[in-house]
Amino acid sequence: MLIFVVLIGIAGCERGPRDHQQTLLVFGTLLDVKAYTDNPVEFDTAVKGLERTFQDMHREWHAWKGDGELVRLNRAIGRGDAITVSPELVELLLRAKQYAEQSGHLFNPAIGGLIAEWGFHSDEPPGGPPPDGNRIASLIEAAPSMAQLTFEQNRILSSNRAVALDLGAFAKGYALNMAIRQLKRSGIAHAIVNAGGDLCVSGRHGDRPWTIGIRHPLAEGVIASVKVSDGECVLTSGNYERYREYEGIRYAHILDPRTGYPVEHVASATVISMDGGLADAAATALSVAGPGQWENIAVQMGINEVMLVDENGDVHLSPSMRDRIEFQQHIDRVIVSPRLNAGS
Ligand code: ADP
Ligand code: MG
């Protein structure tokens, strides 16, 4: 009798919800999809759907490769022509434009020319000496900005031919948000989609919230963990993964659109928000803003939850971030912003 009960217990367990995981290669990175579900078949179908969506986005939103919509738009802008694009791309660009303006253009996805000049329009890390100073100066003088784009329904025109759109700082967060919504529509209500540490979640991990780790930008392992609730996204802009190295100097892939040179004072910026695209754009903008200016930019962008690790390893926190993260390593100096209100 006892055996019978135990067997039923195990069988019941097998049928109950548990973790299922699949990894896709999309956007040039690994996308980890994890779900807590009792329906592996539904999960399988949902992940296949997601793979198709990400392949479409990768093709259409790539800034320099192939013949997708963004490449065609950039060519038209270069010629001074107006062009009609899909409503999906318009929606994406209107968001990017809004966040660029809110960030005082520290997040500036119109600086594709500058990004190409630094060699980051390549799947391989660039090498050799940094670009010529005069080249950078002339790209800065051309002053490309999202404000120069006008939208007439789905027709886009730029008043400045130097605008070259690159959504590398924004599209990932936007796409992760879309992925979570698509999974929900496919019946998967408890999930994490994770692209190299950038992630969005839905639902819960059984009777607990999902808990995730944020990688230390300057040391091994996880710097902090945080419980993440339904619909939230955690996006980190890091200067430690993609860079150009020449004669022992590292040139990071996040550029200050005001100077044309890589950001130096920030190792990583992490933002939590319900809006993945906003969190991604803000993480980039806050990396550019740095320890002295990040609070103003956070307020302008409506971001409450920020963790910034500066080049010295000091950690800058907004009060709401302080209230929810748990450090996993000893941190010498933690500076909580007195200028942002907790829970505001
Ligand atoms: P990560 O790739 O580490 O998540 P980001 O989200 O900040 O970092 O994206 C960096 C990419 O965004 C760069 O590779 C480049 O293509 C582009 N980029 C660099 N600087 C800026 C900037 N100031 N504004 C907008 N896009 C940028
Ligand atoms: Mg970003």
Side-chain angles (χ1 to χ4, degrees):
M1 190 57 197
L2 184 63
I3 290 169
F4 178 69
V5 171
V6 169
L7 281 179
I8 288 201
I10 290 170
C13 254
E14 279 179 350
R15 276 200 304 271
R18 59 186 183 87
D19 287 342
H20 294 270
Q21 190 161 352
Q22 285 197 37
T23 305
L24 305 173
L25 179 63
V26 286
F27 264 33
T29 57
L30 294 177
L31 181 79
D32 223 38
V33 189
K34 190 169 169 183
Y36 189 76
T37 174
D38 58 4
N39 193 336
V41 177
E42 194 171 50
F43 177 59
D44 236 49
T45 314
V47 172
K48 287 205 176 75
L50 213 54
E51 188 168 20
R52 281 192 294 275
T53 305
F54 271 86
Q55 277 163 354
D56 290 348
M57 289 190 291
H58 187 60
R59 193 178 54 243
E60 299 303 339
W61 300 348
H62 208 290
W64 76 89
K65 242 197 296 192
D67 191 30
E69 271 209 295
L70 193 63
V71 167
R72 294 201 301 274
L73 171 59
N74 277 334
R75 278 199 213 118
I77 291 173
R79 291 192 306 265
D81 292 343
I83 181 176
T84 299
V85 300
S86 69
E88 288 78 16
L89 184 58
V90 169
E91 164 75 20
L92 181 79
L93 292 173
L94 285 174
R95 286 288 179 91
K97 182 176 175 175
Q98 181 194 337
Y99 300 149
E101 282 162 4
Q102 278 176 268
S103 76
H105 300 279
L106 297 188
F107 162 65
N108 183 353
I111 59 166
L114 204 52
I115 295 164
E117 188 65 32
W118 276 96
F120 291 115
H121 279 176
S122 154
D123 293 330
E124 303 302 318
D132 176 65
N134 291 329
R135 247 333 261 150
I136 292 178
S138 70
L139 284 162
I140 290 293
E141 211 165 296
S145 155
M146 293 304 280
Q148 293 148 354
L149 294 183
T150 45
F151 295 78
E152 263 178 50
Q153 273 125 19
N154 298 336
R155 213 170 147 73
I156 301 179
L157 179 67
S158 172
S159 59
N160 182 355
R161 287 192 193 195
V163 166
L165 298 165
D166 176 316
L167 301 171
F170 168 68
K172 201 202 278 175
Y174 188 89
L176 289 172
N177 231 165
M178 278 180 58
I180 279 291
R181 285 200 296 269
Q182 182 172 334
L183 286 177
K184 267 196 180 164
R185 285 196 303 274
S186 315
I188 303 299
H190 303 278
I192 296 190
V193 281
N194 179 344
D198 290 326
L199 54 93
C200 294
V201 313
S202 61
R204 295 166 66 78
H205 192 202
D207 55 7
R208 283 166 304 198
W210 292 107
T211 303
I212 59 105
I214 301 165
R215 219 179 101 186
H216 200 306
L218 301 169
E220 291 292 306
V222 166
I223 184 168
S225 69
V226 61
K227 294 184 175 64
V228 198
S229 54
D230 188 34
E232 282 189 317
C233 299
V234 185
L235 271 289
T236 301
S237 278
N239 257 341
Y240 47 89
E241 260 173 3
R242 289 196 77 206
Y243 48 81
R244 174 188 194 121
E245 195 155 12
Y246 183 67
E247 295 185 338
I249 301 175
R250 281 187 181 186
Y251 301 92
H253 73 138
I254 299 171
L255 303 176
D256 186 332
R258 297 166 298 189
T259 63
Y261 283 85
V263 164
E264 282 175 3
H265 43 214
V266 170
S268 71
T270 302
V271 173
I272 305 181
S273 164
M274 300 288 277
D275 179 337
L278 171 62
D280 201 352
T284 303
L286 297 174
S287 296
V288 176
Q293 289 175 345
W294 71 269
E295 293 145 297
N296 292 341
I297 302 300
V299 170
Q300 275 170 226
M301 298 188 85
I303 291 292
N304 290 321
E305 312 206 352
V306 181
M307 175 173 74
L308 209 111
V309 182
D310 70 24
E311 57 185 337
N312 305 315
D314 294 343
V315 175
H316 306 253
L317 296 174
S318 63
S320 349
M321 191 66 125
R322 188 245 347 249
D323 291 347
R324 63 185 293 190
I325 64 164
E326 285 175 38
F327 285 115
Q328 303 293 314
Q329 304 194 15
H330 172 74
I331 309 291
D332 280 341
R333 224 155 84 89
V334 178
I335 304 146
V336 180
S337 164
R339 278 196 276 153
L340 292 166
N341 294 323
S344 64

